[in-house]
Amino acid sequence: MKVFLAVVDEGGFTAAARHLSMTVPHVTRHIAALETQLGTRLLQRTTRSVSLTDSGERYAARVREILESVEAAVAEAQSTTSALQGVPRIVAAPALTDALIAPLAAAFNQQYPGIALDVYVDPQPVPDLNRYDLGFLQVPEGFDAAIVARTLSTSEAILCAAPSYIARHGAPSTPQALAEHLCAAPHTPSASQQFCPVAQPAIHAGGAGARD
């Protein structure tokens, strides 16, 4: 159909072949095969010109509509991906950056070349989300920051103690007994001391001192 319209629009076989980067015999064979398939002559050929027959005029009008619709459909489908552009600001904890973002960044860039990820690695458990478009957070169960969130994965925390500590202070037999023990844990402003509700001062990672 494209070859036929090229002959019509360019006004001849030679011009159509040049326009389509094809040979003249190749164009001629295309038109002959099309006319054989349809069982009617579409073009009236003379030594000086090529003109449409009545059937050719009707066929050309319909074919033009069809090809324009196909081209519009292709452009619309391609624009769904190519039109996506921008620089989303993303914040993530170091562990989540390595585990979730880094392995997928190359494939994401290939699928959405118009999007450039601006990733900030923040060790704070709950950064200021108002500064970002998307955040990957590590938070305790039941965390609620009045944001639209989706759980990507869950993990468990394991309490450990050095043998020397157990020898001095004994091993807790119940979760409630942890309140009588010293606990070293990352300081999370938004999270409660759910593992170690210590009555004595807790030791936080990064603190000024350490106690056994």
Side-chain angles (χ1 to χ4, degrees), residues 11 29 51 53-54 71 77 81 93 98 100 112 118 141 156 177 207:
R29 286 195 296 269
S51 60
T53 63
D54 292 341
E71 291 176 357
T81 299
D98 294 337
L100 297 178
Y112 304 101
D118 190 7
E141 186 177 2
E156 296 180 353

Side-chain angles (χ1 to χ4, degrees), residues 93-166:
L96 296 181
T97 302
D98 294 337
L100 297 178
I101 299 177
L104 302 176
F108 182 91
N109 180 257
Q110 185 175 6
Q111 185 173 357
Y112 304 101
I115 298 179
L117 300 179
D118 190 7
V119 180
Y120 293 79
V121 182
D122 193 334
Q124 293 296 322
V126 185
D128 182 6
L129 297 177
N130 292 322
R131 299 170 52 195
Y132 305 98
D133 302 303
L134 179 65
F136 292 84
L137 310 179
Q138 290 177 298
V139 295
E141 186 177 2
F143 173 78
D144 182 13
I147 58 176
V148 177
R150 176 181 299 177
T151 300
L152 299 179
S153 179
T154 59
S155 61
E156 296 180 353
I158 300 176
L159 291 177
C160 304
S164 58
Y165 178 88
I166 297 297

Side-chain angles (χ1 to χ4, degrees), residues 21-202:
S21 299
M22 298 170 62
T23 64
V24 175
H26 198 183
V27 172
T28 302
R29 286 195 296 269
H30 267 281
I31 300 303
L34 179 62
E35 290 179 330
T36 299
Q37 180 183 2
L38 297 177
T40 185
R41 181 174 292 277
L42 301 174
L43 298 170
Q44 188 66 44
R45 307 164 180 83
T46 67
T47 56
R48 295 184 178 181
S49 66
V50 175
S51 60
L52 286 168
T53 63
D54 292 341
S55 296
E57 288 183 0
R58 291 192 296 270
Y59 183 76
R62 293 301 303 273
V63 164
R64 196 179 302 278
E65 292 178 0
I66 292 172
L67 291 179
E68 288 176 353
S69 297
V70 170
E71 291 176 357
V74 171
E76 183 177 352
Q78 292 176 338
S79 67
T80 302
T81 299
S82 61
L84 295 177
Q85 297 181 355
V87 185
R89 291 167 57 89
I90 301 172
V91 62
L96 296 181
T97 302
D98 294 337
L100 297 178
I101 299 177
L104 302 176
F108 182 91
N109 180 257
Q110 185 175 6
Q111 185 173 357
Y112 304 101
I115 298 179
L117 300 179
D118 190 7
V119 180
Y120 293 79
V121 182
D122 193 334
Q124 293 296 322
V126 185
D128 182 6
L129 297 177
N130 292 322
R131 299 170 52 195
Y132 305 98
D133 302 303
L134 179 65
F136 292 84
L137 310 179
Q138 290 177 298
V139 295
E141 186 177 2
F143 173 78
D144 182 13
I147 58 176
V148 177
R150 176 181 299 177
T151 300
L152 299 179
S153 179
T154 59
S155 61
E156 296 180 353
I158 300 176
L159 291 177
C160 304
S164 58
Y165 178 88
I166 297 297
R168 285 196 201 94
H169 305 285
S173 57
T174 65
Q176 290 73 23
L178 290 172
E180 305 302 325
H181 288 266
L182 299 174
C183 180
H187 178 57
T188 306
S190 64
S192 63
Q193 297 287 344
Q194 54 181 327
F195 299 117
C196 299
V198 293
Q200 307 174 49

